[in-house]
Amino acid sequence: MLASFRSLRDLAKAALVAAAVLAPTVTAAHAEDGVTVFAAASLKEVLGEVSEAWRAETGRETTLSFAGSSALAKQIEQGAPADLFISADLKWMDYLDKAGLVAGESRVDLLGNRLVLVAPKDAATTATIAEGFLLADLLAGGHLAMANTDAVPAGTYGKAALQKLGVWDSVKNHVVQAENVRAALLLVSRTEAPLGIVYETDAKADTGVRVVDRFPESSHPAIVYPAAVLKEARNAEDAAAFLAYLQGAKAHAIFTAAGFTVLAKTN
């Protein structure tokens, strides 16, 4: 049975608790000796797997920090010691690029993804996503879990899709906004929200949810993950090497298995 919340504020508090799961993941024994990567929350498992493969092959380490792309970009702007940034959209990479913080020659469009509507794994919800579909009825008085719709890529993609399909106004007052897409996912996985909008790869990574349907790709801007070495990188050489590895055959196989679309050419 879905958890009952008295108000949107209660569910928002739960979203903040869920966000704590994305504390920085350190794969190096000594973080200062490795490449520090700031990456979109939706890359958590897959980038960890790629980093482990890179370490096994090269002996070099990584420190991985995951959050919403907007939060990471702001941290980098404020001087956070990152070597490599991987955003879940072009907007936040462009933001840092315009601020002169990106080594522009290193920038590459790395991956693509799909947007889906998810429900708890045992929920009986069915729907076909199309113009004017009855999303408000599907919520049945519950809330729709999304990443922040004004700043976080998954949230902005989701809002754009709902607006394009003509259903945003019917559900906007039922949206609970999480700090990042994984926090939104957890609200659904923990049955604290009956539905959520996340990336397809997120749904694949969490056995507590199931995909109700995919959003038409025409309903939102293309989902692109750009990556680049930062100008203030303390370990620029290894950062460039790791970025090259992310474009290689081994990494591509891992990304594809996780459900991402590979955009960068294999090295």
Side-chain angles (χ1 to χ4, degrees):
M1 183 175 181
L2 294 179
S4 175
F5 286 82
R6 293 183 179 179
S7 70
L8 197 59
R9 180 179 296 178
D10 294 329
L11 195 52
K13 289 178 180 178
L16 289 174
V17 173
V21 75
L22 287 165
T25 301
V26 179
T27 61
H30 302 287
E32 64 272 16
D33 296 332
V35 177
T36 299
V37 183
F38 278 23
S42 50
L43 294 169
K44 188 172 189 293
E45 291 83 8
V46 71
L47 198 58
E49 186 176 349
V50 173
S51 297
E52 287 300 321
W54 190 62
R55 182 176 62 83
E57 291 184 25
T58 68
R60 288 180 279 188
E61 305 283 3
T62 56
T63 299
L64 307 178
S65 184
F66 301 97
S69 300
S70 55
L72 295 173
K74 292 290 187 178
Q75 289 173 26
I76 291 168
E77 183 182 37
Q78 293 166 10
D83 298 313
L84 183 68
F85 178 47
I86 309 176
S87 174
D89 71 355
L90 299 174
K91 172 184 174 180
W92 289 106
M93 185 63 78
D94 289 343
Y95 179 87
L96 293 182
D97 207 349
K98 290 176 182 177
L101 298 174
V102 170
E105 70 281 0
S106 71
R107 181 172 171 172
V108 61
D109 290 343
L110 189 65
L111 302 168
N113 212 331
R114 293 291 301 271
L115 203 64
V116 297
L117 183 69
V118 293
K121 65 177 181 179
D122 295 327
T125 307
T126 60
T128 298
I129 297 175
E131 185 173 353
F133 80 110
L134 300 179
L135 181 56
D137 289 354
L138 294 175
L139 290 173
H143 294 99
L144 177 65
M146 298 177 67
N148 186 298
T149 59
D150 294 322
V152 178
T156 60
Y157 289 131
K159 181 178 178 180
L162 295 180
Q163 288 176 323
K164 180 74 172 181
L165 296 169
V167 300
W168 172 251
D169 286 344
S170 69
V171 299
K172 63 183 181 182
N173 293 329
H174 299 279
V175 172
V176 58
Q177 299 191 45
E179 289 188 356
N180 54 65
V181 68
R182 285 306 180 86
L185 178 72
L186 280 175
L187 289 175
V188 181
S189 180
R190 294 174 179 176
T191 70
E192 293 166 349
L195 291 170
I197 298 176
V198 300
Y199 297 123
E200 189 168 40
T201 53
D202 295 314
K204 189 172 182 178
D206 190 331
T207 58
V209 304
R210 64 177 186 82
V211 173
V212 176
D213 199 14
R214 279 178 169 178
F215 282 86
E217 291 188 81
S218 60
S219 67
H220 57 81
I223 299 172
V224 177
Y225 290 70
V229 177
L230 297 168
K231 280 190 177 178
E232 298 299 320
R234 297 171 303 170
N235 194 349
E237 184 177 347
D238 278 1
F242 184 59
L243 180 54
Y245 188 80
L246 294 176
Q247 299 170 67
K250 181 63 178 289
H252 282 193
I254 295 171
F255 287 133
T256 300
F260 289 91
T261 302
V262 172
L263 302 179
K265 294 181 180 179
T266 304
N267 290 330

Coordinates of all heavy atoms in Angstrom, one line a residue, residues 22 24 36-48 51 63-73 75-76 82 84-88 93 110-111 180-182 225-227 230 242 246 255:
L22 N 23.2 9.9 -2.4 CA 24.1 10.2 -3.4 C 25.3 11.0 -2.8 O 25.9 11.8 -3.5 CB 23.5 11.1 -4.5 CG 22.6 10.2 -5.4 CD1 21.6 11.1 -6.1 CD2 23.4 9.3 -6.3
P24 N 29.2 11.6 -2.0 CA 30.3 11.3 -2.9 C 30.8 9.9 -2.7 O 30.9 9.4 -1.6 CB 31.4 12.3 -2.5 CG 30.6 13.5 -2.0 CD 29.4 12.9 -1.3
T36 N 39.4 13.4 -10.0 CA 38.1 13.8 -9.3 C 37.1 14.1 -10.4 O 37.3 15.0 -11.2 CB 38.3 15.0 -8.4 OG1 39.3 14.7 -7.4 CG2 37.0 15.4 -7.7
V37 N 36.0 13.3 -10.4 CA 35.0 13.4 -11.4 C 33.7 13.9 -10.7 O 33.2 13.2 -9.8 CB 34.8 12.1 -12.1 CG1 33.7 12.2 -13.2 CG2 36.1 11.5 -12.7
F38 N 33.1 15.0 -11.2 CA 31.8 15.4 -10.8 C 30.9 15.0 -11.9 O 31.0 15.4 -13.1 CB 31.8 16.9 -10.7 CG 32.3 17.5 -9.4 CD1 33.2 16.7 -8.6 CD2 31.9 18.7 -8.9 CE1 33.6 17.2 -7.4 CE2 32.3 19.2 -7.7 CZ 33.2 18.4 -6.9
A39 N 29.9 14.1 -11.6 CA 29.0 13.5 -12.6 C 27.6 13.5 -12.2 O 27.2 13.5 -11.0 CB 29.5 12.1 -12.9
A40 N 26.7 13.6 -13.2 CA 25.2 13.6 -13.0 C 24.8 12.4 -12.2 O 25.4 11.3 -12.4 CB 24.5 13.6 -14.3
A41 N 23.8 12.5 -11.3 CA 23.4 11.5 -10.4 C 23.0 10.2 -11.2 O 23.2 9.1 -10.6 CB 22.2 12.0 -9.6
S42 N 22.5 10.3 -12.4 CA 22.0 9.2 -13.1 C 23.2 8.3 -13.6 O 22.9 7.2 -14.1 CB 21.2 9.6 -14.3 OG 21.9 10.6 -15.1
L43 N 24.4 8.7 -13.4 CA 25.6 7.9 -13.8 C 26.2 7.1 -12.7 O 27.2 6.5 -12.9 CB 26.6 8.8 -14.4 CG 26.3 9.6 -15.7 CD1 27.3 10.6 -16.0 CD2 26.2 8.6 -16.9
K44 N 25.6 7.1 -11.5 CA 26.2 6.6 -10.3 C 26.7 5.2 -10.5 O 27.9 4.9 -10.3 CB 25.2 6.6 -9.1 CG 25.8 6.2 -7.8 CD 24.8 6.5 -6.7 CE 25.5 6.3 -5.3 NZ 25.9 5.0 -5.0
E45 N 25.9 4.2 -10.8 CA 26.4 2.8 -10.9 C 27.3 2.6 -12.1 O 28.4 2.0 -12.0 CB 25.2 1.8 -11.0 CG 24.4 1.7 -9.7 CD 23.4 2.8 -9.6 OE1 23.2 3.6 -10.6 OE2 22.7 2.9 -8.5
V46 N 26.9 3.1 -13.3 CA 27.6 2.8 -14.5 C 29.0 3.4 -14.5 O 30.0 2.8 -14.9 CB 26.8 3.2 -15.7 CG1 26.8 4.7 -15.9 CG2 27.4 2.6 -17.0
L47 N 29.1 4.6 -13.9 CA 30.4 5.3 -13.9 C 31.3 4.6 -12.9 O 32.6 4.5 -13.1 CB 30.3 6.8 -13.6 CG 31.5 7.6 -13.9 CD1 31.9 7.5 -15.4 CD2 31.3 9.1 -13.6
G48 N 30.7 4.1 -11.8 CA 31.5 3.4 -10.8 C 32.1 2.1 -11.5 O 33.3 1.8 -11.3
S51 N 34.9 3.1 -13.9 CA 36.1 3.5 -13.1 C 36.8 2.3 -12.6 O 38.1 2.3 -12.5 CB 35.6 4.4 -11.9 OG 35.1 5.6 -12.4
T63 N 38.0 9.6 -7.9 CA 37.1 10.0 -6.9 C 35.8 10.5 -7.6 O 35.9 11.4 -8.4 CB 37.7 11.1 -6.1 OG1 38.9 10.7 -5.4 CG2 36.7 11.6 -5.0
L64 N 34.7 9.8 -7.3 CA 33.5 10.1 -8.0 C 32.5 10.8 -7.1 O 32.2 10.3 -6.0 CB 32.8 8.8 -8.5 CG 33.7 7.9 -9.4 CD1 33.0 6.7 -9.8 CD2 34.2 8.6 -10.6
S65 N 32.0 11.9 -7.5 CA 31.0 12.7 -6.7 C 29.8 12.9 -7.6 O 29.8 13.4 -8.7 CB 31.6 14.0 -6.3 OG 30.7 14.7 -5.5
F66 N 28.6 12.5 -7.1 CA 27.4 12.5 -7.9 C 26.3 13.4 -7.2 O 26.1 13.5 -6.0 CB 26.8 11.1 -8.0 CG 27.7 10.1 -8.6 CD1 28.4 9.3 -7.8 CD2 27.7 10.0 -10.0 CE1 29.3 8.3 -8.4 CE2 28.6 9.1 -10.6 CZ 29.3 8.2 -9.8
A67 N 25.6 14.2 -8.1 CA 24.6 15.1 -7.6 C 23.8 15.5 -8.9 O 24.2 15.1 -10.0 CB 25.1 16.2 -6.8
G68 N 22.9 16.4 -8.7 CA 22.2 17.0 -9.9 C 23.3 17.9 -10.6 O 24.1 18.5 -10.0
S69 N 23.2 17.9 -12.0 CA 24.2 18.6 -12.8 C 24.2 20.1 -12.4 O 25.3 20.7 -12.4 CB 23.8 18.5 -14.2 OG 23.8 17.1 -14.7
S70 N 23.1 20.7 -12.1 CA 23.1 22.1 -11.7 C 23.9 22.4 -10.4 O 24.6 23.3 -10.3 CB 21.6 22.6 -11.5 OG 20.9 21.7 -10.6
A71 N 23.7 21.5 -9.4 CA 24.4 21.6 -8.2 C 25.9 21.5 -8.4 O 26.7 22.2 -7.8 CB 23.9 20.6 -7.1
L72 N 26.3 20.5 -9.2 CA 27.7 20.3 -9.5 C 28.3 21.5 -10.2 O 29.5 21.9 -9.9 CB 27.9 19.0 -10.3 CG 27.5 17.7 -9.5 CD1 27.6 16.5 -10.5 CD2 28.4 17.4 -8.3
A73 N 27.6 22.0 -11.2 CA 28.2 23.1 -11.9 C 28.4 24.3 -11.0 O 29.4 25.0 -11.1 CB 27.2 23.5 -13.1
Q75 N 29.0 24.2 -7.8 CA 30.1 23.9 -7.0 C 31.4 24.2 -7.7 O 32.4 24.7 -7.1 CB 30.0 22.5 -6.5 CG 28.9 22.2 -5.5 CD 28.8 20.7 -5.2 OE1 29.7 20.0 -5.3 NE2 27.6 20.3 -4.8
I76 N 31.5 23.8 -9.0 CA 32.7 24.0 -9.8 C 32.9 25.5 -9.9 O 34.1 26.0 -9.8 CB 32.5 23.3 -11.1 CG1 32.6 21.8 -10.9 CG2 33.7 23.7 -12.1 CD1 32.1 21.0 -12.2
A82 N 37.4 19.9 -8.8 CA 37.1 18.8 -9.8 C 38.0 18.8 -11.0 O 38.5 19.9 -11.4 CB 35.6 18.9 -10.2
L84 N 37.1 16.7 -13.9 CA 36.3 16.3 -15.0 C 34.9 16.4 -14.6 O 34.5 16.1 -13.5 CB 36.6 14.8 -15.4 CG 35.9 14.2 -16.6 CD1 36.4 14.9 -17.9 CD2 36.1 12.7 -16.6
F85 N 34.1 17.0 -15.5 CA 32.6 17.2 -15.3 C 31.9 16.5 -16.4 O 32.1 16.6 -17.6 CB 32.3 18.7 -15.3 CG 30.9 19.0 -15.2 CD1 30.1 18.5 -14.2 CD2 30.2 20.0 -16.0 CE1 28.8 18.8 -14.0 CE2 28.9 20.3 -15.8 CZ 28.2 19.7 -14.8
I86 N 30.8 15.7 -15.9 CA 29.9 15.1 -16.9 C 28.5 15.5 -16.5 O 28.0 15.1 -15.4 CB 30.0 13.5 -16.8 CG1 31.5 13.1 -17.0 CG2 29.2 12.9 -17.9 CD1 31.7 11.6 -16.8
S87 N 27.9 16.3 -17.3 CA 26.5 16.8 -17.1 C 25.5 15.9 -17.8 O 25.8 15.2 -18.7 CB 26.5 18.2 -17.6 OG 25.2 18.8 -17.6
A88 N 24.2 16.0 -17.3 CA 23.1 15.3 -17.9 C 22.4 16.2 -18.9 O 21.4 15.7 -19.5 CB 22.2 14.8 -16.9
M93 N 26.8 22.4 -18.9 CA 28.2 22.4 -19.5 C 28.4 23.7 -20.2 O 29.5 24.3 -20.1 CB 28.4 21.3 -20.5 CG 29.8 21.1 -21.0 SD 31.0 20.8 -19.7 CE 30.7 19.0 -19.5
L110 N 29.0 12.7 -24.8 CA 29.3 11.3 -24.5 C 28.2 10.3 -24.6 O 28.3 9.2 -25.3 CB 29.9 11.3 -23.1 CG 30.5 10.0 -22.6 CD1 31.8 9.7 -23.3 CD2 30.8 10.1 -21.1
L111 N 27.0 10.6 -24.1 CA 25.9 9.6 -23.9 C 24.6 10.2 -24.2 O 24.4 11.5 -24.2 CB 25.9 9.0 -22.5 CG 27.2 8.3 -22.1 CD1 27.1 8.0 -20.6 CD2 27.4 7.0 -22.8
N180 N 17.7 15.7 -7.0 CA 18.2 15.0 -8.2 C 17.4 13.9 -8.6 O 16.4 13.5 -7.9 CB 19.7 14.6 -7.9 CG 19.8 13.7 -6.7 OD1 19.2 12.6 -6.7 ND2 20.4 14.2 -5.7
V181 N 17.7 13.3 -9.8 CA 16.8 12.3 -10.3 C 16.8 11.0 -9.5 O 15.7 10.3 -9.4 CB 17.2 12.0 -11.8 CG1 18.6 11.3 -11.9 CG2 16.1 11.1 -12.5
R182 N 17.9 10.7 -8.8 CA 17.9 9.5 -8.0 C 17.1 9.6 -6.8 O 16.5 8.6 -6.3 CB 19.4 9.1 -7.7 CG 20.1 8.5 -8.9 CD 19.3 7.3 -9.4 NE 20.0 6.7 -10.6 CZ 20.9 5.7 -10.5 NH1 21.3 5.3 -9.3 NH2 21.4 5.2 -11.6
Y225 N 24.5 13.8 -22.6 CA 25.5 14.0 -21.5 C 26.8 14.4 -22.1 O 27.6 13.6 -22.6 CB 25.7 12.6 -20.8 CG 24.5 12.1 -20.0 CD1 23.4 11.6 -20.6 CD2 24.6 12.0 -18.6 CE1 22.3 11.1 -19.9 CE2 23.6 11.5 -17.9 CZ 22.4 11.0 -18.5 OH 21.4 10.5 -17.8
P226 N 27.2 15.7 -22.0 CA 28.5 16.2 -22.4 C 29.5 16.0 -21.3 O 29.2 16.0 -20.1 CB 28.3 17.7 -22.7 CG 27.2 18.0 -21.7 CD 26.3 16.8 -21.6
A227 N 30.8 15.8 -21.6 CA 31.8 15.6 -20.7 C 33.0 16.5 -21.1 O 33.2 16.7 -22.3 CB 32.3 14.1 -20.6
L230 N 38.2 20.1 -16.9 CA 38.1 21.5 -16.4 C 39.4 22.2 -16.5 O 40.5 21.6 -16.3 CB 37.5 21.5 -15.0 CG 36.1 20.9 -14.9 CD1 35.7 20.6 -13.4 CD2 35.1 21.8 -15.5
F242 N 41.3 9.6 -18.6 CA 40.0 8.9 -18.2 C 38.9 9.3 -19.2 O 38.1 8.4 -19.5 CB 39.7 9.3 -16.8 CG 38.5 8.6 -16.3 CD1 38.4 7.2 -16.2 CD2 37.3 9.3 -15.8 CE1 37.3 6.5 -15.7 CE2 36.2 8.7 -15.3 CZ 36.2 7.3 -15.3
L246 N 36.6 6.8 -21.4 CA 35.1 6.8 -21.4 C 34.6 6.7 -22.9 O 33.5 6.3 -23.1 CB 34.6 8.1 -20.8 CG 34.8 8.2 -19.3 CD1 34.3 9.6 -18.8 CD2 34.1 7.1 -18.5
F255 N 28.4 1.1 -20.8 CA 27.3 2.1 -20.9 C 26.1 1.5 -21.6 O 25.0 1.7 -21.2 CB 27.8 3.3 -21.7 CG 28.8 4.2 -20.9 CD1 29.9 4.7 -21.5 CD2 28.5 4.6 -19.7 CE1 30.8 5.5 -20.9 CE2 29.3 5.5 -19.0 CZ 30.5 5.9 -19.6

